[in-house]
Amino acid sequence: MASSLFLSSQGAQGGRKLLHSAVLACLLFCSAVLAHGAETAQPAIKVDQVGYPLDGPKIALVSAPAATFEVRRSSDDAVVFKGNLTAAKADPDTGDKVQAADFSALKQAGRYYLEIPGVGRSWNFAVGPDVFEHTYYMAMRGFYGQRCGTAVDMGPEFPGYSHPACHLHGEFHPTSGATGIRDNIGGWHDAGDYGRYMVNSGISTGTLLWTWELFGKKIKGISLHIPETGNGTPDILNEARWNLEWMLKMQDTDGGAWHKQTSEHFPAMIAAEDDKQLSEVIGTGAAPFKSTCATADLAVVGAIAARVYQPYDAEFAARALDAARRAWAWTEKNPNVTFHNPPGIQSGEYGSDSCLDERLWAAAELARTTGEAQYSGFFLKNYAGFLPSLDSPPGEDWKSTGSMGLWAYALSPRKDVDANVVKVIRQRTVAAAHAVVERTRANPYHVSLKADDYVWGSNGVTAEYGMDLLIANLFQPDASFVDTARDNLHYLLGRNAFSLSWVTQVGENPYQHPHHRPSASGRQTGPWPGLLSGGPNWKRQDAVLAALPAGLPPARIYSDQMASYASNEICINWQASLVFLLAGELP
Ligand SMILES: [Zn+2]
C-alpha cells in the first residue's frame, strides 16, 4: 500500500508533503495491522500465507473445533465472505482433527484473513491473479544467495544480507588423481554447508532448465535483479548458468567429471567468507578417479543447456553440447564407477550404487538435442526397467533420475521418437497422477504425502509431487492435476500442522532458524531469504529430533532449530523443485 501511494503521488511538491504524512499514517496503521495479525493469529487456522489464485479453489484448514468462518478484508476488517466449516476429519499423520473452510467463491482480488468465532483470526494472505510471482522471485533469489566465488548482495530489500567473494582458492585432493591448483571458482553452495557436489548440482540445474523449457512463457518477464539482469538472456537462465559454468570446470580432459569440490569436513557455523578450509576437488581415490553419476549428470545438463541457451549464446550452447558428448563417451567406457567418501573425507557423499538412471536421463536429453541414434538407442534399450518409477510418484530425486529420463524422452518434440514408448510413459504418468489426486483429496491436510514420505527433505518430496502432477498435466491437461500440485504448494507456504511458511522471509509466519551457515553466522539479523526448509522427518536423524516427545506422528517430527539439520536444512535440489512448482502455478 505504501509503495502504490508513493508511485501515484510523485507529482506536486504539496502532494509530496501530503504523501509523507499519508505514508507515515499508513506505515503506522499498516504495521499496527500486521503486528495485530502477527500477535493474535492462531496457528490452529492454517492458510497459505502467500495466497490463492483468483480463479482456483481457496481452502483454509482449521485444527480447533468450530462451526463457521468469515473472510475479512485486511484493510478495514469488513466481512467479505461467510461460510460453514466442513465436518472434522482425523489426520493420523499429524494427530489433528481438521476442518476445511472453502471460500473458493470469493473472486475479488485483495488482502484478507479468516476470522473463526471461538478460535480467532488467521495470518493475512492475498487473493489475486499472480499471487505466487513474488515467491517465485524469492525462491530464485535464494539461488543467487547461494553463489560461491563472488560477492553476493541481496540488495535494498534485505539490507546487510551480503558477503564478499568466498572459496576463491581450490586444489586437487590426492583422491582426484591430479595435483596442484584447481580453483574452479563459481557454482552454488549446495545446502547449509559450502560444498559443491556434481550429482546434486545435476538434478537442481536440470530442474531449473526444465522450468525454463516448460514454463518459459510464464517467467520470461520476471526480473531477478541479479548482476546479469538486462543482458538479453532470461534471468532464470542467467542464474542457472552460474552453476553450469562451475559444473563444466569439473570436467577432466578425458571427459569424466570429478564428483565434488568441498573441504575435507564441514566447517563450523560460520559465514562463507570466514571459511578458510581448502576447497578441494575430490575423486574416487583410484583410477579413473572421476565418477559415472557425476559425469552422466554433466552430460544431462550440458545437453539441455545446448538447447535452451542456443537463442541467447550459441557459443556457450555449443560448448555445453561438446562437454555433454565427451561426458557421455566417458560413461560408455566407465559405465558404473560409483563414489564413496574416501578415507578422511567427511563432506556430503551423494553416493549411489547404480548410475544407470543418470545415464538414461543423459541419453534421453542428448537424443532430444541431437537426434542421434547412439543416444536414442541406449535409451530404448534401457528405459523399460525404469517404468515402475512412474507408478509411485514422486519417483525422482538426486539419486533416482530414471523418471526424469523417461519424461525427457516423452517431452521431446522430435519426430523420430518411438511413439509407442512415449505413449506408455505418458499413460503411466497420468494414471499415477490421478491416484495422487484422489489420495490428496482424501488427506485432511490436502497434501500428497503419505506417512512414510515424511523423510529427510520431505518438503522437497512435497514439491516433487507437484512436479509430477504438473508434468502429467503437460501430457494430458487436467485441472485437478494443477489444483493438486497447488495443494502441495499451499502446504509449503503455511497450510500445514505448524502454520509455518517453510520459505524464509515469505509470509507472515515463516520459519526462522534454517540449518544454513550464512544464516547461522550471526552476520545478519534473520535467515537469508527465499530458502525452503527440509521439513518433517520421522526417522529423527539428528539430536534435536531424537529429543522430541516419543509417539509424535510423522508430520510433527520437525523443529525450527538451526541444529536440526535433518529437518531444517536448506538444499538446492528441493529449492529447484519449489521453483518448478511455483513457475508451473503462475498464470
Ligand atoms: Zn563459497
Side-chain angles (χ1 to χ4, degrees):
M1 186 185 278
S3 63
S4 66
L5 264 175
F6 192 80
L7 288 170
S8 61
S9 309
Q10 290 290 313
Q13 190 64 32
R16 177 76 50 101
K17 273 185 190 156
L18 254 178
L19 165 75
H20 277 167
S21 44
V23 167
L24 187 62
C26 177
L27 282 175
L28 290 171
F29 175 69
C30 294
S31 59
V33 167
L34 277 176
H36 176 72
E39 278 168 18
T40 61
Q42 296 300 312
I45 310 171
K46 297 100 169 36
V47 298
D48 183 324
Q49 294 164 29
V50 171
Y52 301 83
L54 204 51
D55 295 323
K58 303 175 194 70
I59 291 172
L61 299 172
V62 184
S63 62
T68 62
F69 70 95
E70 298 168 345
V71 181
R72 293 174 176 245
R73 195 159 51 211
S74 302
S75 59
D76 60 2
D77 300 314
V79 176
V80 297
F81 190 89
K82 284 185 174 187
N84 295 319
L85 295 169
T86 60
K89 275 165 73 172
D91 177 39
D93 293 348
T94 60
D96 289 346
K97 288 194 170 117
V98 188
Q99 296 171 268
D102 188 337
F103 53 102
S104 303
L106 174 60
K107 303 259 187 192
Q108 179 141 28
R111 195 152 175 81
Y112 305 100
Y113 64 92
L114 252 69
E115 181 82 35
I116 300 199
V119 179
R121 58 161 293 162
S122 74
W123 279 278
N124 295 289
F125 58 85
V127 169
D130 53 4
V131 286
F132 297 122
E133 184 173 318
H134 185 253
T135 308
Y136 165 82
Y137 165 86
M138 292 283 285
M140 278 306 304
R141 296 272 291 164
F143 279 99
Y144 168 67
Q146 292 293 100
R147 285 193 190 189
C148 184
T150 187
V152 167
D153 188 338
M154 302 305 286
E157 293 165 277
F158 293 97
Y161 284 73
S162 61
H163 71 70
C166 53
H167 306 108
L168 293 173
H169 179 69
E171 290 184 11
F172 283 112
H173 188 268
T175 55
S176 68
T179 56
I181 292 170
R182 181 82 168 200
D183 286 330
N184 289 0
I185 294 163
W188 296 312
H189 298 141
D190 180 64
D193 67 316
Y194 298 124
R196 290 166 286 163
Y197 305 84
M198 285 294 280
V199 166
N200 206 41
S201 271
I203 187 77
S204 307
T205 311
T207 299
L208 291 190
L209 297 179
W210 274 32
T211 303
W212 168 254
E213 220 168 16
L214 299 175
F215 306 125
K217 281 184 192 151
K218 296 168 181 260
I219 54 179
K220 190 168 191 171
I222 302 177
S223 167
L224 299 178
H225 298 142
I226 52 180
E228 299 81 5
T229 295
N231 66 358
T233 300
D235 268 354
I236 188 171
L237 295 185
N238 281 325
E239 189 55 50
R241 183 165 173 173
W242 183 263
N243 201 58
L244 276 167
E245 293 280 11
W246 170 75
M247 292 183 77
L248 291 167
K249 290 175 186 172
M250 289 293 281
Q251 187 170 35
D252 198 359
T253 49
D254 66 356
W258 287 284
H259 197 75
K260 61 180 177 179
Q261 182 159 3
T262 72
S263 45
E264 288 191 341
H265 53 83
F266 292 127
M269 301 307 283
I270 54 176
E273 64 271 27
D274 295 336
D275 178 22
K276 303 302 183 196
Q277 285 193 78
L278 194 55
S279 174
E280 302 189 66
V281 175
I282 293 167
T284 60
F289 300 104
K290 282 77 65 177
S291 78
T292 304
C293 290
T295 304
D297 276 320
L298 177 63
V300 165
V301 297
I304 312 172
R307 299 194 297 268
V308 301
Y309 291 92
Q310 178 64 32
Y312 306 105
D313 188 339
E315 184 278 327
F316 177 64
R319 181 154 62 91
L321 182 56
D322 176 63
R325 287 180 181 281
R326 288 187 294 114
W328 174 263
W330 191 92
T331 70
E332 293 226 285
K333 287 184 210 134
N334 304 277
N336 203 36
V337 181
T338 57
F339 181 86
H340 304 282
N341 262 341
I345 300 297
Q346 293 169 329
S347 56
E349 184 165 273
Y350 287 110
S352 174
D353 291 336
S354 170
C355 300
L356 185 58
D357 50 325
E358 284 81 4
R359 295 194 71 210
L360 187 85
W361 189 13
E365 297 289 8
L366 277 160
R368 187 172 166 183
T369 301
T370 68
E372 292 174 16
Q374 59 167 325
Y375 306 121
S376 54
F378 181 92
F379 178 86
L380 292 170
K381 191 176 162 200
N382 290 284
Y383 81 96
F386 293 95
L387 287 172
S389 67
L390 299 175
D391 301 335
S392 52
E396 86 284 10
D397 62 21
W398 63 264
K399 196 172 192 169
S400 305
T401 63
S403 46
M404 296 295 277
L406 295 169
W407 291 332
Y409 190 82
L411 286 164
S412 173
R414 302 192 75 89
K415 299 279 183 274
D416 52 7
V417 293
D418 184 320
N420 288 325
V421 173
V422 169
K423 191 175 170 191
V424 168
I425 294 168
R426 290 181 172 223
Q427 280 176 343
R428 286 174 84 149
T429 301
V430 168
H434 280 300
V436 170
V437 167
E438 291 311 310
R439 191 172 79 228
T440 308
R441 284 178 172 165
N443 182 296
Y445 267 98
H446 298 228
V447 67
S448 300
L449 297 168
K450 307 183 298 291
D452 62 1
D453 283 329
Y454 291 94
V455 291
W456 197 317
S458 66
N459 282 345
V461 177
T462 311
E464 284 160 14
Y465 274 116
M467 278 187 70
D468 270 85
L469 289 157
L470 292 176
I471 287 167
N473 186 59
L474 296 171
F475 293 153
Q476 183 182 297
D478 187 321
S480 76
F481 296 165
V482 181
D483 291 346
T484 305
R486 194 183 307 147
D487 279 329
N488 288 298
L489 184 55
H490 289 325
Y491 169 89
L492 296 175
L493 297 176
R495 204 178 67 183
N496 54 58
F498 299 93
S499 260
L500 272 183
S501 164
W502 267 313
V503 183
T504 48
Q505 311 273 11
V506 168
E508 288 185 348
N509 190 41
Y511 81 112
Q512 295 295 328
H513 306 290
H515 183 84
H516 179 240
R517 280 166 175 75
S519 299
S521 69
R523 292 285 169 85
Q524 290 82 28
T525 52
W528 279 61
L531 299 170
L532 180 66
S533 164
N537 175 2
W538 69 267
K539 294 186 179 175
R540 299 176 180 246
Q541 289 147 302
D542 64 44
V544 174
L545 299 181
L548 292 176
L552 274 184
R556 289 216 170 262
I557 302 176
Y558 164 82
S559 184
D560 183 13
Q561 293 187 48
M562 184 270 284
S564 183
Y565 52 83
S567 83
N568 217 28
E569 185 167 6
I570 71 102
C571 201
I572 57 171
N573 62 326
W574 52 71
Q575 186 78 15
S577 300
L578 174 67
V579 165
F580 186 98
L581 177 53
L582 284 161
E585 291 291 345
L586 290 176

